Amino acid sequence: MDIKISEKSLRQFLKTKASTGEIITALTQGGPTVDRFHSTAGDTIMEIEAITNRVDTACVFGVAREANAILNQMGILSKLISSPYESKA
């Protein structure tokens, strides 16, 4: 299953100084594969292969969570923010 995610939407959940290229490389090396990407006016659209046994990566937050784990393992600081699962109480 292929999904398209904009970098801007990904960065709503992922706080990092990593460049677009570093995020794409990290995801492709250790998580959902970024098959293609293209730049638009002020954004980058990533076409991501979300395999059926990893449905958690079929949404923006799931890809952000995966990118966060991989970037930190690569020594690039990142942090998840705005989690839809955290209580706002």
Side-chain angles (χ1 to χ4, degrees), residues 10-25:
L10 183 69
R11 289 186 186 266
Q12 287 181 338
F13 299 107
L14 181 67
K15 182 178 180 181
T16 183
K17 292 183 180 181
S19 68
T20 304
E22 289 173 319
I23 292 171
I24 290 170
T25 299

Side-chain angles (χ1 to χ4, degrees), residues 61-78:
F61 183 72
V63 173
R65 187 174 51 204
E66 194 75 11
N68 178 57
I70 297 166
L71 287 169
N72 281 305
Q73 286 181 346
M74 294 174 63
I76 301 171
L77 294 178
S78 67

Side-chain angles (χ1 to χ4, degrees), residues 37-87:
F37 63 93
H38 62 277
S39 295
T40 62
D43 204 354
T44 299
I45 306 300
M46 295 175 267
E47 295 182 29
I48 296 174
E49 171 91 23
I51 57 176
T52 56
N53 68 330
R54 289 297 312 273
V55 294
D56 59 313
T57 61
C59 64
V60 177
F61 183 72
V63 173
R65 187 174 51 204
E66 194 75 11
N68 178 57
I70 297 166
L71 287 169
N72 281 305
Q73 286 181 346
M74 294 174 63
I76 301 171
L77 294 178
S78 67
K79 178 182 174 184
L80 282 177
I81 55 175
S82 306
S83 171
Y85 304 111
E86 290 180 3
S87 174

